Amino acid sequence: MCGVLGIMGLTNLTRAADLLLLLTHRGQDASGLAWTENGTIKSAKAIGSPARIKVPSLSSPLILGSTRYPTSGKRVVSESDFETFVGPFIRKNLALSHNGNITNMKFLSGKNYDCDSEFLTDLLEDYLNECNDDLPSAIRKLSSAVDGAYSLVGIHNNRLFAYRDSRGFKPLVFGRTTEHVIVASESEVLDMADLKLSRDVYPGELLIFNGMNMESYSIRQNETHTHCFFEFVYFAHPSAIIENQLVYDVRFRLGRALASNYVRMRLDPPDYVVPVPDTSRPAAQALAEALNVPMREIILKNRYLGRTFIARDQDERDNLAKNKYIYLEDKIRGKSILVVDDSIVRGTTARMIVSDLRARGASKVYFAVTCPPQSHPCYYGIDISTDKELIASESGLNEIAQYINADALIYQDLNGLINAIGITDLCLACLDGEYPTEHARYIREQIQNRPADEECRDYERVFEK
Ligand code: SF4
């Protein structure tokens, strides 16, 4: 998961950084902007949010942006990491921003890359050289070679382009006027720029914007699209429209579906439904309405911390989680509380919240989750890349309920999830282990026969034949 942005049409760089800031929830490790200036491509990068990027006070006709979430390589710790870890990556007349994760980089590349986005940039440059600088031909070669998820925005020969892998794992949308084109991971960027959403970039489609002309090339068609369901449940901003579905509405419907599960379990109505901020708020609202009990926001978020989910290691995640929530103790004492969260990954945050509520006098704590149990790692763009990071990979529902110490654990079921999202062509691999791409399946086969590597993501291992 990362955020990508492309702008064509004269735009101030500070304004571009403001637009990129809207994609910080997709990656807060580092961020970068690249732009054309007198025929050359320049860049500025920063550790953390785009608000920290120092850009010159000028306007450029072509700008790229990237917010980084590390699914390959380490966290960015100093400016010396910028060149090989932080996009956009620049090669002569080419620059590239990438969202997703390439599963076969270790197999394709002779070089040890720090980050798959740089690998993609080099590969595309090689293919452009082989194809007389013809972008559609080079992208065709790229899409035959790489396995995984990749939504790309780039600059090539003073044109803006966008490409989305043929399965459409990660979102990519665009909008345009007579003066501007914007391509972005999420549609709220277009809203902020006063552009109407034109549509999603179709899976397997290459768009090239040349001046205000748009060319569309069908590069690679896959009969099955596998849009990442977790974008709807967790990653994307609630105002984003992905595949014609408003994420807010999806989350609301997830809450309604959870209410049916709660009723089926014949549990007593709680005194309050309480969202874990912020993602689960629409679901909690729907659940409260369906159960006819009040929703109360008695777990408040420390706004000055980032998303714990995208912290790089468990220690940092635990520390962030500890400082993340503030509780309204007076409203908790003696009450039975139905907590709603978007997912249980390692189980440590859920366990901490239940324990904190009990310590403040809650009489009962039920825990509802808008996502079904995630029992398999993701190889396509979230940094949960090994089984050992997932409590549901080896524990059943009763064990998880016991571990988090809830009076009842109410999970979303698969039908509820799919109906709420409203489209059926989804990637569900982290729920059912059905990986849609060939190399990811190969990695799973290898993992079955080899012990887990504590140090390494599954797709960063090289398996001896
Ligand atoms: S495995 Fe899960 S998180 Fe990863 S792309 Fe598929 S649905 Fe999304």
Side-chain angles (χ1 to χ4, degrees):
M1 184 178 86
C2 290
V4 296
L5 171 69
I7 305 173
M8 176 171 250
L10 206 60
T11 303
N12 187 279
L13 294 179
T14 309
R15 175 73 177 142
D18 286 346
L19 293 175
L20 187 62
L21 194 59
L22 286 173
L23 298 175
T24 308
H25 60 282
R26 301 188 66 85
Q28 59 198 31
D29 185 43
S31 46
L33 282 175
W35 62 92
T36 56
E37 190 180 330
N38 302 324
T40 56
I41 309 177
K42 298 191 171 173
S43 69
K45 298 178 182 179
I47 297 172
S49 125
R52 296 185 177 169
I53 304 176
K54 291 193 173 68
V55 285
S57 155
L58 57 83
S59 297
S60 169
L62 267 176
I63 301 172
L64 286 189
S66 169
T67 56
R68 177 175 199 263
Y69 165 64
T71 53
S72 63
K74 58 161 193 156
R75 281 203 60 171
V76 169
V77 290
S78 76
E79 292 190 4
S80 61
D81 293 328
F82 287 171
E83 202 178 319
T84 56
F85 285 94
V86 186
F89 290 96
I90 300 171
R91 301 286 182 271
K92 281 190 294 194
N93 58 348
L94 173 73
L96 199 66
S97 288
H98 161 229
N99 170 210
N101 192 56
I102 304 303
T103 64
N104 61 347
M105 175 173 76
K106 288 276 169 195
F107 286 73
L108 287 183
S109 162
K111 184 178 151 191
N112 227 355
Y113 279 94
D114 287 336
C115 150
D116 58 350
S117 305
E118 189 187 23
F119 160 70
L120 279 179
T121 314
D122 281 350
L123 198 62
L124 185 56
E125 188 188 34
D126 289 348
Y127 290 147
L128 281 166
N129 289 336
E130 287 172 23
C131 299
N132 294 323
D133 223 18
D134 181 61
L135 186 60
S137 306
I139 292 278
R140 199 161 279 124
K141 275 183 167 253
L142 184 103
S143 68
S144 306
V146 298
D147 181 289
Y150 45 105
S151 283
L152 307 178
V153 184
I155 295 172
H156 175 243
N157 286 342
N158 284 316
R159 298 173 303 174
L160 182 72
F161 71 90
Y163 181 69
R164 194 171 173 208
D165 65 70
S166 62
R167 292 191 170 271
F169 280 102
K170 295 289 155 192
L172 194 62
V173 295
F174 72 96
R176 55 185 185 142
T177 62
T178 50
E179 287 171 357
H180 285 95
V181 177
I182 294 186
V183 184
S185 294
E186 295 183 21
S187 58
E188 67 272 15
V189 177
L190 307 177
D191 281 353
M192 178 70 94
D194 284 333
L195 261 71
K196 279 210 164 23
L197 169 65
S198 295
R199 61 170 168 84
D200 299 82
V201 178
Y202 298 133
E205 181 186 35
L206 169 67
L207 292 176
I208 301 178
F209 299 96
N210 193 0
M212 288 305 126
N213 293 330
M214 182 179 92
E215 297 164 12
S216 164
Y217 296 84
S218 174
I219 296 293
R220 190 180 173 85
Q221 293 309 317
N222 198 314
E223 68 280 10
T224 320
H225 298 160
T226 49
H227 308 297
C228 169
F229 87 86
F230 208 45
E231 289 283 346
F232 297 92
V233 171
Y234 176 77
F235 284 148
H237 192 269
S239 65
I241 298 172
I242 303 175
E243 299 299 322
N244 298 317
Q245 304 293 325
L246 176 64
V247 170
Y248 178 91
D249 285 347
V250 170
R251 292 183 187 159
F252 201 85
R253 294 194 291 263
L254 286 167
R256 273 198 199 134
L258 263 183
S260 306
N261 294 0
Y262 189 91
V263 170
R264 256 199 304 277
M265 287 172 74
R266 298 178 188 279
L267 298 164
D268 291 337
D271 291 317
Y272 300 139
V273 174
V274 175
V276 176
D278 292 316
T279 323
S280 61
R281 202 176 275 135
Q285 185 72 56
L287 219 157
E289 284 175 18
L291 296 180
N292 204 18
V293 297
M295 178 180 109
R296 291 285 182 270
E297 304 211 34
I298 57 182
I299 304 177
L300 303 174
K301 191 169 133 185
N302 177 349
R303 292 189 182 282
Y304 307 103
L305 291 178
R307 285 183 126 177
T308 46
F309 192 89
I310 61 182
R312 179 64 196 96
D313 59 45
Q314 190 58 44
D315 280 350
E316 186 191 0
R317 207 170 283 118
D318 289 346
N319 273 335
L320 278 172
K322 244 183 250 153
N323 298 321
K324 188 169 174 181
Y325 300 118
I326 299 156
Y327 299 87
L328 298 186
E329 188 158 342
D330 280 0
K331 312 279 179 215
I332 295 169
R333 211 171 299 118
K335 301 293 183 197
S336 71
I337 288 172
L338 169 55
V339 179
V340 186
D341 205 353
D342 48 68
S343 52
I344 293 181
V345 180
R346 299 153 187 90
T348 48
T349 302
R351 183 182 159 98
M352 183 196 75
I353 289 170
V354 174
S355 157
D356 286 348
L357 291 170
R358 289 197 192 285
R360 287 161 178 79
S363 61
K364 282 202 165 147
V365 184
Y366 305 117
F367 207 96
V369 195
T370 62
C371 179
Q374 286 168 290
S375 51
H376 293 74
C378 173
Y379 296 159
Y380 302 117
I382 355 175
D383 199 16
I384 302 176
S385 50
T386 58
D387 292 81
K388 65 181 166 38
E389 294 163 69
L390 292 157
I391 190 168
S393 72
E394 47 189 34
S395 305
L397 298 198
N398 290 340
E399 287 167 291
I400 298 173
Q402 255 175 25
Y403 175 75
I404 68 170
N405 193 25
D407 291 290
L409 174 61
I410 307 99
Y411 262 116
Q412 188 71 258
D413 56 54
L414 208 53
N415 281 340
L417 174 80
I418 294 169
N419 289 336
I421 294 176
I423 56 174
T424 52
D425 43 359
L426 295 166
C427 174
L428 302 166
C430 50
L431 306 181
D432 61 12
E434 299 288 325
Y435 290 83
T437 65
E438 200 180 325
H439 194 78
R441 289 192 290 273
Y442 169 76
I443 296 171
R444 288 308 288 171
E445 271 169 35
Q446 299 305 307
I447 294 295
Q448 311 300 327
N449 308 322
R450 289 169 165 86
D453 184 333
E454 294 293 319
E455 302 299 317
C456 211
R457 299 175 176 103
D458 285 354
Y459 47 80
E460 289 183 339
R461 291 172 68 177
V462 176
F463 302 104
E464 314 251 319
K465 300 250 173 178

